[in-house]
Amino acid sequence: MSDRETLGAALARCGISRRALLKYSSYLATLMALPPAASSAMAEALAKARRQSVIWLSFQECTGCTESLTRSFSPTLEDLIFNLISLDYHHTLMAVSGAAAEAARLEAMKENAGKYLVVVDGSVPLGDDGAYSTIAGITNRQMLTETVEHALAVISVGTCAAFGGLPHADPNPTGAVPVSAIVTGKPVINISGCPPLPEAMAGTVSYILSFGKLPELDHLHRPKAFFGDSIHDRCYRRPFYERGMFAKSFDDDGARNGWCLYELGCKGPVTYNSCATLKWNGGTSFPIQSGHGCLGCSEPGFWDKGGFYRPLAAGTGSPGVAVGAAAIGGVAVGAASAALHRRRLHDQGGEKPK
Ligand code: FSX
């Protein structure tokens, strides 16, 4: 692996021009709210960077995170950059299996000690000594602990790895925990979402490759560039919320005409992610644009928050789940109540004042 070509050389070999790399850097710099000069510095750094060794571990998950990345609208430069990292180990994508696969993991760890990134999707089962999920004869916990020991950093992709996700939902039969419950003494970046946005995954890796440091993170260790605003902050239905115009059912005229889906259970006001701006499938759409409320999939404990179709104002129905239910409770429908709702969310630290 020591003779890895630079990313610039690899892109040129694939017919990707310098101009395209500059365009991607500029897109990424804008996306991450970096100063204008950062875009050319990023292009230079990316062109000179050696292919980054990445070891990808998949534990208790549905493979949606890998699907999100590999089935993103193609071809895009971020796909190519992800293809051009050295993905030295990936349960789903690697050609070899068994002893040869494990040898590849150990070799990558040895040859890139202190420099490789570990990407994890899925939660880690601790119940019954980890018997619910084993790979190559060892528990997920053992594999994670051993693999991260000499890693540069760990990226938890998907809500399962970041916060426990579906396997952690009540009653959590496998004793599932997020990666951060096991990994200590190493930087852990959470890119949540079920699944996460491919741009957030590729953008975060590109940032680390370009600048040799981690991006700025929020209180849940998510890159602020992608998780700095709530879905509600950026939602195109927001003007209807402000005017107190709420759809009453998924097929009424209000819903069809873009009215706010708050009363139908939309969790956009308490969910932080970039779906409303980046959208999915190459910027085609996102759930709210398709007529369905946000499920809040990038937030901790979203499966247990009292029902996807239960309005926030009705509370979570689940004690101890912090979605600001107390802040939202008692909000009546209408423009005046919308303002009150915002004020109360802000008082709970859930939303900026407007
Ligand atoms: Fe979880 Fe990802 Fe949802 Fe699925 O790997 S975040 S269940 S999309 O696959 O972990």
Side-chain angles (χ1 to χ4, degrees), residues 45-127:
L46 275 176
K48 287 183 196 152
R50 298 275 160 191
R51 292 173 65 202
Q52 171 72 48
S53 171
V54 173
I55 297 176
W56 186 306
L57 307 175
S58 296
F59 299 142
Q60 290 195 129
E61 42 81 31
C62 77
T63 313
C65 301
T66 294
E67 286 287 324
S68 169
L69 189 61
T70 58
R71 305 299 166 102
S72 62
F73 199 74
S74 298
T76 65
L77 193 53
E78 60 265 39
D79 293 334
L80 289 169
I81 284 179
F82 240 116
N83 287 337
L84 293 169
I85 59 172
S86 183
L87 193 52
D88 293 324
Y89 183 84
H90 188 300
H91 299 143
T92 311
L93 301 179
M94 69 194 306
V96 296
S97 60
E102 292 314 300
R105 179 172 64 90
L106 297 174
E107 187 187 335
M109 287 163 59
K110 191 170 156 200
E111 294 199 6
N112 303 288
K115 292 186 268 186
Y116 62 89
L117 288 175
V118 175
V119 175
V120 186
D121 61 350
S123 63
V124 185
L126 299 186

Side-chain angles (χ1 to χ4, degrees), residues 77-320:
L77 193 53
E78 60 265 39
D79 293 334
L80 289 169
I81 284 179
F82 240 116
N83 287 337
L84 293 169
I85 59 172
S86 183
L87 193 52
D88 293 324
Y89 183 84
H90 188 300
H91 299 143
T92 311
L93 301 179
M94 69 194 306
V96 296
S97 60
E102 292 314 300
R105 179 172 64 90
L106 297 174
E107 187 187 335
M109 287 163 59
K110 191 170 156 200
E111 294 199 6
N112 303 288
K115 292 186 268 186
Y116 62 89
L117 288 175
V118 175
V119 175
V120 186
D121 61 350
S123 63
V124 185
L126 299 186
D128 293 322
D129 294 327
Y132 296 106
S133 175
T134 62
I135 298 161
I138 58 174
T139 65
N140 292 170
R141 179 186 204 158
Q142 283 172 299
M143 183 171 277
L144 177 61
T145 307
E146 151 184 323
T147 309
V148 302
E149 188 179 355
H150 299 296
L152 174 69
V154 181
I155 304 179
S156 297
V157 299
T159 298
C160 297
F163 307 130
L166 176 60
H168 182 268
D170 187 51
N172 190 3
T174 66
V177 298
V179 167
S180 58
I182 307 287
V183 176
T184 52
K186 287 277 174 211
V188 177
I189 303 174
N190 289 328
I191 303 179
S192 56
C194 189
L197 284 159
E199 289 85 354
M201 293 188 267
T204 301
V205 171
S206 300
Y207 184 94
I208 296 172
L209 271 175
S210 304
F211 299 113
K213 62 177 184 179
L214 308 188
E216 196 182 349
L217 305 177
D218 72 4
H219 69 294
L220 294 173
H221 292 257
R222 302 177 295 193
K224 277 189 180 172
F226 300 104
F227 296 91
D229 292 320
S230 72
I231 300 296
H232 185 61
D233 284 338
R234 301 291 180 180
C235 182
Y236 77 104
R237 293 184 189 246
R238 174 75 179 255
F240 292 98
Y241 170 90
E242 300 294 349
R243 282 145 62 193
M245 297 165 77
F246 299 96
K248 306 292 179 194
S249 75
F250 286 113
D251 60 353
D252 69 12
D253 283 344
R256 290 196 194 94
N257 289 319
W259 291 19
C260 178
L261 303 176
Y262 177 86
E263 289 189 10
L264 298 173
C266 182
K267 305 298 183 291
V270 292
T271 303
Y272 288 76
N273 206 338
S274 298
C275 303
T277 45
L278 294 177
K279 303 189 180 178
W280 290 84
N281 299 320
T284 304
S285 187
F286 74 115
I288 293 171
Q289 191 174 338
S290 304
H292 194 286
C294 167
L295 301 182
C297 79
S298 55
E299 297 300 314
F302 84 100
W303 292 97
D304 293 325
K305 284 181 176 172
F308 293 149
Y309 302 104
R310 191 178 164 98
L312 282 168
T316 64
S318 175

